[in-house]
Amino acid sequence: MRGADADWTGRTDELLAMRLPDWRPAALTEAIADLFERRGAEVAPADRETLRAFIGGLDARFAVVAAFGIPDTLVHGDFHPGDVRGAAEALRILDWGDTGVGSPGRHLPAVRGQYRARRTSPSRC
């Protein structure tokens, strides 16, 4: 880790005191379960069962992620390739307006998607 997320590692109490959203496992699981309780009846019965099983498995999924030992920190929140500017030697991540506290692994889907797009489309390199 380098940059803003590294600077805030170990300082989650400060980030939460600034009223950033809490995306750590316990808070995220609670928020998802609460949403399901309030709005689950609007979902088709088969999908409700799928969601119930998903929510029930979150603790195990988060335990796997925790085993990697990556600390919670400042997380961008809506990271995508359009938030990156600069040259290969000096890239900067912009638009930190939707930040929260959680795992920097939240960025991986955006990064992986961009990597795949570049590997399969040479014209985008």
Side-chain angles (χ1 to χ4, degrees):
M1 248 189 302
R2 285 181 35 195
D5 51 358
D7 293 344
W8 285 98
T9 299
R11 298 170 60 191
T12 55
D13 289 342
E14 291 176 69
L15 293 167
L16 294 170
M18 289 187 262
R19 305 180 89 141
L20 269 64
D22 188 351
W23 296 327
R24 296 173 300 168
L28 196 54
T29 299
E30 182 180 332
I32 292 168
D34 178 64
L35 178 61
F36 181 73
E37 280 296 313
R38 289 184 290 112
R39 307 294 296 265
E42 299 171 28
V43 178
D47 292 336
R48 274 198 301 273
E49 292 309 311
T50 300
L51 287 169
R52 203 173 267 117
F54 171 78
I55 294 166
L58 283 174
D59 288 342
R61 290 171 188 249
F62 284 132
V64 169
V65 173
F68 285 96
I70 299 170
D72 291 323
T73 187
L74 178 70
V75 180
H76 188 275
D78 71 341
F79 183 72
H80 56 83
D83 287 337
V84 179
R85 297 287 188 274
E89 305 81 33
L91 294 173
R92 296 287 182 249
I93 299 175
L94 310 173
D95 183 23
W96 288 84
D98 293 319
T99 58
V101 179
S103 170
R106 288 177 56 104
H107 297 158
L108 290 178
V111 173
R112 285 183 51 192
Q114 179 65 6
Y115 176 71
R116 283 189 190 133
R118 286 185 175 189
R119 283 190 55 183
T120 59
S121 177
S123 64
R124 294 187 65 193
C125 290

